[in-house]
Amino acid sequence: DVTVERERLEGLETHNAALTAELSHRANVERERDRELDLAMRAGGLGAWSMDLKTRFIVASDAYKAILGWPLGSPLGYEDRVKSIHPDDRETVLRSIADCIARQADYHVEHRIITPAGETRWVSSRGITVLGVDDEPVRIAGVTTDITARVRADRMRAATMELSDVLGDLND
C-alpha cells in the first residue's frame, strides 16, 4: 500500500513539474507576444483602449492617453472621454458606438477631440464589440491613431487646388 501511494505521489510530482514548466514556457511566449504587439502599436502610432459596457470603466494604454493629450498618470473615465470629443462630433461618435454595440459590428469613426490643453486634434478609432459567455456584448475594445497631420495635409491640398482654380479663372 505504501509503495503504491509513494509511486502515485512521485507520478503526481512529475506531472506537476511538467505542468509548471509548460506554464512557464507559455508565460514567456505571452510576454514576448505582448512586447511584439507593443512595438507594432508604437510603430504604427496606435493607442489601445477598451470599455466595460456595464461599468463604463475604461482601460487605456499610455499611447492612447498621449493621443488624447491626457496625463499619463491619471485615470481616464468615461465622462472624461466623452467630454474630449469635439462638441460638433459628439453625437455622431456616440451614435457610432451605440450602433457598434447594438449590431455587434466593427466600429470605425474619424472625429475631432479637444485635449485638456485646448488643442484640437483629429483621431481615427477602430473597435469591436466583445461578447460574453451568453453572447451578449460586455465591452468594446479598439485602437486609435492621431490623424491630425493627414487631415491638415488633405485640407491644405484641397485649398491649394481651389486657389489654383481661382487663379486660373483670373487668366481666362
Side-chain angles (χ1 to χ4, degrees):
D1 283 338
V2 173
T3 303
V4 171
E5 185 65 19
R6 183 177 298 137
E7 288 173 355
R8 189 180 74 77
L9 286 174
E10 287 173 357
L12 287 174
E13 287 174 354
T14 302
H15 187 67
N16 187 34
L19 285 175
T20 300
E22 176 64 21
L23 287 174
S24 178
H25 171 73
R26 287 184 184 187
N28 286 336
V29 168
E30 183 79 18
R31 273 193 297 277
E32 285 303 310
R33 285 187 186 150
D34 285 348
R35 289 182 60 207
E36 291 167 1
L37 178 60
D38 183 57
L39 172 62
M41 299 270 296
R42 283 187 288 128
L46 298 171
W49 51 267
S50 69
M51 182 180 73
D52 182 289
L53 297 176
K54 191 174 203 175
T55 64
R56 297 198 175 194
F57 181 78
I58 294 176
V59 175
S61 70
D62 284 348
Y64 180 68
K65 288 180 180 180
I67 289 168
L68 299 181
W70 198 257
L72 298 185
S74 299
L76 177 65
Y78 176 76
E79 292 303 321
D80 300 318
R81 178 60 183 102
V82 170
K83 287 179 188 171
S84 75
I85 301 168
H86 191 284
D88 294 342
D89 298 344
R90 194 170 292 146
E91 183 180 328
T92 301
V93 172
L94 295 177
R95 191 174 340 107
S96 294
I97 293 169
D99 288 347
C100 166
I101 296 164
R103 295 182 298 118
Q104 299 175 6
D106 290 353
Y107 164 80
H108 179 230
V109 66
E110 293 182 356
H111 65 92
R112 292 166 291 177
I113 60 162
I114 300 173
T115 69
E119 176 187 0
T120 299
R121 296 180 185 171
W122 280 88
V123 297
S124 175
S125 294
R126 292 183 178 274
I128 58 169
T129 303
V130 179
L131 304 178
V133 293
D134 58 356
D135 285 335
E136 291 297 317
V138 293
R139 67 186 176 97
I140 56 174
V143 294
T144 297
T145 189
D146 185 336
I147 60 168
T148 304
R150 187 196 81 198
V151 169
R152 288 181 181 158
D154 289 348
R155 287 182 170 182
M156 183 66 78
R157 195 172 14 264
T160 301
M161 289 176 65
E162 186 176 327
L163 181 59
S164 177
D165 289 345
V166 168
L167 292 175
D169 288 346
L170 291 176
N171 290 330
D172 292 339

